[in-house]
Amino acid sequence: MTHEVVNQAPPRVDLNEYLINPALTEAVDRYGAGWATGRLTEAGALTGRADFQRDAELANTHPPVFTGHDRWGHRVDAVEFHPGYHRIMGAAIEHGAHTSCWAEPRPGAHVARAATFMLFAQVEPGHACPVSMTHAVVPSLRLAPEPAAEWLPRVYSRDYDPALRDGKASAIFGMAMTEKQGGSDVRANSTRAVDAGDGTWRLTGHKWFCSAPQSDAFLVLAQAPGGLSCFLVPRVLPGGDRNVFRIQRLKDKLGNRSNASSEIELDGTVGRLLGEQGRGVRAIIEMVAQTRLDCVLGSAAGMRQSVAEAAWHVRHRSAFGALLIDQPAMTAVIADLQLEAEAATWTAMRLASAYDSDDGESVAFRRLAVAVGKYWVCKRGPNHAYEALECLGGNGYTEAFPLARRYREQPVMAVWEGSGNVIALDVLRAMAREPESVQAVDRELASALGVHPVYDAHVAATRKLIGEVAADPASAAASARRVVEALALGLQGAVLIRQAPAEIADGFVAARLGADRSLEYGALDPRLPLARIAARA
């Protein structure tokens, strides 16, 4: 009897991850995608299944393997994945986590697609990278009618075929911008493009980070005679020959293990110009905006996984004579983690909803708000994962439980598509060059005034800070992070006050905006309805 197992939480499996996530279900309904409830319920049931979670584990414990040459010495540049990875990719594509909002446009389509993406990313985040890039490439493809006619039907497909071959009916896209010498400064790129005179170009150079090199095609930035330009680079050429796409190695990363990130070399590689010469940043920027939104979605999904796993453990684990969840200190921690996860989820859905309309107000709002949300939500992810991990004690620190993997995963969203300073400076750029974006976000903040004096004071302080930055552009960069944090907290407060249940809005305002606010999880005012907040986890 010495090895009888007692007082351990049962496996957290076979739960519907959509139906038991009140923040997500409520936000989907509030932002016009209630019609997708059936589809999301199906996806929630799938992602909660034990076999799906096992595939997520296998995809990370058996990461992708690069093979440069076959046994006879031919260059193959192949990346092989565990079958569990392919099963997850196939399921995500089948459920429209990639391009359903583009392929089937209707009110709320972007919200429904965002929620689907979050359900899959909650359990296995690595595959979300190629899914996200395939979603995000659509606006850039639309800049060139001929490539659009060829590729859009393939990226809209709900079929997943990992083979690299000519004539496929479906396609997955990647992106290659970053180079060794430039990083986020893409105008320092040295990759060159030469006009081949037949409607194609020949690209030569390197890329320091190229995620999902197994993809069917990529958007690549290169220097043409007219300046930095954007090119569509397929892995397989018409007729079946392989394009020159030399994978040098896979990156050995902190997390994101199931996703293959690589260094590549191009040497006379065939590409097709998207948009105009010299307008490469313009051509690819909408793709970047979409992937930034998916960083928010991915971080919010990670927060949901973190707090859900922590809450499950403390509801089934006893110590010192009572369930952990019923002990005030733990109730406060779970409630605080839930507030953070809800703020991230509601904000993510609000940002997604801004893409369901292309009117001037929506375009202006998302220009600034997506960058603000990306900075703050992604920045909060790692510490949130750590606190949730700690709730599991020693179990949380082992690879047998998913929170160790999540803890290593969360930082990537804060780095991908612009790390902290890059995003903060981009916010300043938008404020200076597109003042209508500031006005749109300010109207969002103003819409929640008059309910909470603490929130009203935060908005007043934020407006003052924005005014100071505008009055002294030379010193603005030093205050960039303060501005973005203030805007992000204000945006989250506005969304929650207007849309979320009262206990969530009240709790967030008290915990994050008050004079005695604390970013240390669990330091909540005990007068808040902590048990009701924690019950939503």
Side-chain angles (χ1 to χ4, degrees):
M1 296 297 290
T2 59
H3 291 286
E4 181 181 358
V5 178
V6 296
N7 198 28
Q8 287 276 5
R12 189 181 174 278
V13 297
D14 299 328
L15 304 170
N16 191 302
E17 295 290 358
Y18 180 65
L19 295 180
I20 64 172
N21 185 345
L24 187 59
T25 57
E26 291 164 2
V28 164
D29 187 62
R30 300 285 174 87
Y31 289 117
W35 52 265
T37 297
R39 302 179 189 179
L40 293 169
T41 300
E42 290 178 8
L46 171 61
T47 54
R49 279 178 7 199
D51 60 333
F52 187 90
Q53 295 186 23
R54 177 60 175 160
D55 277 342
E57 181 180 358
L58 291 170
N60 284 272
T61 55
H62 300 278
V65 176
F66 167 57
T67 301
H69 299 78
D70 66 15
R71 69 183 71 180
W72 299 282
H74 303 118
R75 184 117 197 183
V76 292
D77 294 293
V79 183
E80 297 181 6
F81 294 82
H82 189 277
Y85 174 89
H86 289 307
R87 286 192 290 269
I88 288 174
M89 277 291 294
I93 298 299
E94 180 184 354
H95 283 82
H98 60 325
T99 57
S100 58
C101 56
W102 308 117
E104 302 170 2
R106 61 180 292 184
H110 281 266
V111 172
R113 177 262 160 189
T116 307
F117 179 86
M118 289 176 66
L119 289 170
F120 283 91
Q122 175 182 326
V123 180
E124 205 302 293
H127 84 286
C129 176
V131 170
S132 173
M133 290 188 293
T134 303
H135 159 75
V137 76
V138 172
S140 296
L141 283 177
R142 288 174 171 172
L143 293 174
E146 187 176 339
E150 176 184 350
W151 288 95
L152 284 179
R154 297 169 69 181
V155 300
Y156 290 164
S157 171
R158 295 288 187 99
D159 294 325
Y160 170 64
D161 181 355
L164 289 175
R165 57 182 176 82
D166 189 28
K168 283 175 59 175
S170 62
I172 300 297
F173 261 78
M175 181 198 309
M177 293 194 296
T178 307
E179 297 187 3
K180 298 183 185 76
Q181 72 284 353
S184 295
D185 183 10
V186 295
R187 296 193 182 278
N189 283 7
S190 61
T191 298
R192 297 290 168 181
V194 177
D195 191 345
D198 60 358
T200 66
W201 295 67
R202 299 296 181 269
L203 279 58
T204 301
H206 72 277
K207 295 296 174 181
W208 188 234
F209 276 94
C210 174
S211 287
Q214 77 278 7
S215 300
D216 298 287
F218 300 82
L219 293 198
V220 177
L221 291 181
Q223 300 285 358
L228 189 65
S229 305
C230 182
F231 298 87
L232 190 159
V233 174
R235 283 295 307 272
V236 179
L237 298 172
D241 289 340
R242 291 288 181 95
N243 206 354
V244 180
F245 192 92
R246 295 173 182 156
I247 302 172
Q248 300 303 312
R249 62 174 173 172
L250 300 186
K251 297 288 192 179
D252 186 8
K253 297 171 295 183
L254 168 68
N256 200 237
R257 292 284 182 169
S258 67
N259 179 42
S261 300
S262 65
E263 299 166 26
I264 64 167
E265 295 288 338
L266 309 174
D267 186 7
T269 302
V270 177
R272 296 168 69 180
L273 181 67
L274 283 184
E276 304 173 31
Q277 278 195 62
R279 304 295 298 275
V281 173
R282 177 182 178 275
I284 209 169
I285 196 65
E286 186 60 25
M287 185 177 187
V288 173
Q290 294 285 345
T291 48
R292 282 182 177 176
L293 171 62
D294 282 1
C295 287
V296 180
L297 300 177
S299 290
M303 289 183 184
R304 171 58 191 171
Q305 182 186 42
S306 295
V307 69
E309 293 285 346
W312 179 265
H313 177 82
V314 302
R315 286 180 180 133
H316 292 89
R317 177 85 162 180
S318 296
F320 310 111
L323 285 173
L324 289 175
I325 188 60
D326 294 330
Q327 301 188 34
M330 185 59 76
T331 305
V333 169
I334 297 298
D336 210 351
L337 291 172
Q338 180 64 14
L339 284 178
E340 190 81 59
E342 292 230 15
T345 297
W346 281 97
T347 301
M349 291 295 100
R350 172 64 184 98
L351 296 176
S353 74
Y355 286 90
D356 275 319
S357 176
D358 286 326
D359 62 90
E361 181 73 7
S362 297
V363 171
F365 172 78
R366 68 199 191 208
R367 169 62 184 96
L368 186 64
V370 169
V372 166
K374 195 273 185 192
Y375 173 91
W376 184 248
V377 173
C378 298
K379 187 76 68 179
R380 297 290 289 165
N383 198 51
H384 184 275
Y386 156 70
E387 192 69 44
L389 179 157
E390 187 178 297
C391 292
L392 274 67
N395 284 353
Y397 199 65
T398 69
E399 295 293 342
F401 291 81
L403 291 193
R405 184 166 72 242
R406 176 55 65 179
Y407 180 58
R408 288 185 280 102
E409 185 72 31
Q410 287 293 66
V412 72
M413 264 76 75
V415 173
W416 191 35
E417 301 301 13
S419 51
N421 281 350
V422 172
I423 297 295
L425 294 174
D426 185 54
V427 168
L428 291 185
R429 186 180 303 109
M431 292 169 62
R433 298 180 180 179
E434 302 171 69
E436 65 277 8
S437 67
V438 181
Q439 296 161 10
V441 171
D442 186 75
R443 283 189 287 272
E444 186 83 9
L445 302 183
S447 68
L449 291 172
V451 179
H452 285 277
V454 170
Y455 171 79
D456 296 353
H458 177 83
V459 172
T462 301
R463 286 171 169 171
K464 180 181 178 182
L465 185 58
I466 291 172
E468 292 171 351
V469 167
D472 187 11
S475 302
S479 302
R481 289 194 176 212
R482 289 179 58 215
V483 173
V484 179
E485 177 179 333
L487 282 168
L489 289 168
L491 178 60
Q492 288 188 319
V495 171
L496 293 176
I497 289 169
R498 292 185 61 201
Q499 305 294 352
E503 63 265 22
I504 299 300
D506 296 348
F508 179 85
V509 170
R512 301 290 185 266
L513 302 181
D516 59 346
R517 72 188 180 103
S518 173
L519 298 182
E520 177 68 28
Y521 289 112
L524 292 177
D525 187 335
R527 293 171 294 181
L528 291 170
L530 301 182
R532 291 212 312 271
I533 297 171
R536 290 170 61 88

